[in-house]
Amino acid sequence: MRLYLASTSPARLATLRAAGIEPVAISPGVDEEAAVDAVETERGRPLDAHELVQLLAQAKAEAVVGDDVDGEPIDGLILGGDSAFLVDGRIHGKPHLPEVAKARWLEQNGSHGDLWSGHWLIDHRGGRVRGAVGRADVATVRFATLDEAEIDAYVASGEPLLVAGAFTVDSLGGPFIRRVEGDPSTVVGLSLSTLRDLVRELGVAWTSLWNRV
């Protein structure tokens, strides 16, 4: 059984590999801002964190349906994922700019926030869509208190610029996190326990995805 990862996230790829799964990674090419804007316009209100990550996880998975990989149709399960960090009721995605990353760290320094990760799993066995399931998971992240020199050095490393919430738990940012309440892999952007549940809902044995030696 193959798992196709509709994501370019190195963290999600590494998480799956550590769990014994070598996925086929495919770039979904989704215009995330346009997708969110369209739904918010239709609903006449901003999406909450749960809705946001599920919308984008589903959009990414569905974007690769029908794609070929090395000339062969997709035959297996397609996984889309997305993450957002919620601090004091405000959703923080990827900061992109150093000044934005620093401002967010000054806000969350010594405090806490909720990391939401969305999952959408499409059953594409036999080269066609047979069903789909999805769920979002959340973990609370409690931060250490950093001095400004540490924040500046971390921002200058570039790591916080391209991750939701401007931090990682599995790299340079790990020492700045005091505690994670919830599935730790959720903070990386992919809850392995949630993914296992979804795989089983589609009638697939989790261990059938193990393909790393």
Side-chain angles (χ1 to χ4, degrees), residues 67-79:
D67 284 2
D68 288 341
V69 178
D70 296 328
E72 297 292 332
I74 292 175
D75 185 1
L77 306 180
I78 302 172
L79 173 64

Side-chain angles (χ1 to χ4, degrees), residues 93-134:
K94 301 171 184 176
H96 296 294
L97 300 175
E99 57 268 29
V100 177
K102 180 173 182 178
R104 291 184 181 174
W105 260 101
L106 289 172
E107 178 183 359
Q108 65 202 30
N109 193 22
S111 185
H112 67 277
D114 294 325
L115 197 293
W116 282 90
S117 284
H119 312 76
W120 194 258
L121 192 66
I122 298 175
D123 184 346
H124 206 276
R125 287 176 288 176
R128 63 181 180 86
V129 176
R130 301 158 57 99
V133 290

Side-chain angles (χ1 to χ4, degrees), residues 177-196:
I177 295 173
R178 287 289 187 196
R179 187 165 70 252
V180 173
E181 298 163 5
D183 183 341
S185 60
T186 301
V187 184
V188 184
L190 169 63
S191 168
L192 289 172
S193 60
T194 295
L195 177 59
R196 174 181 172 272

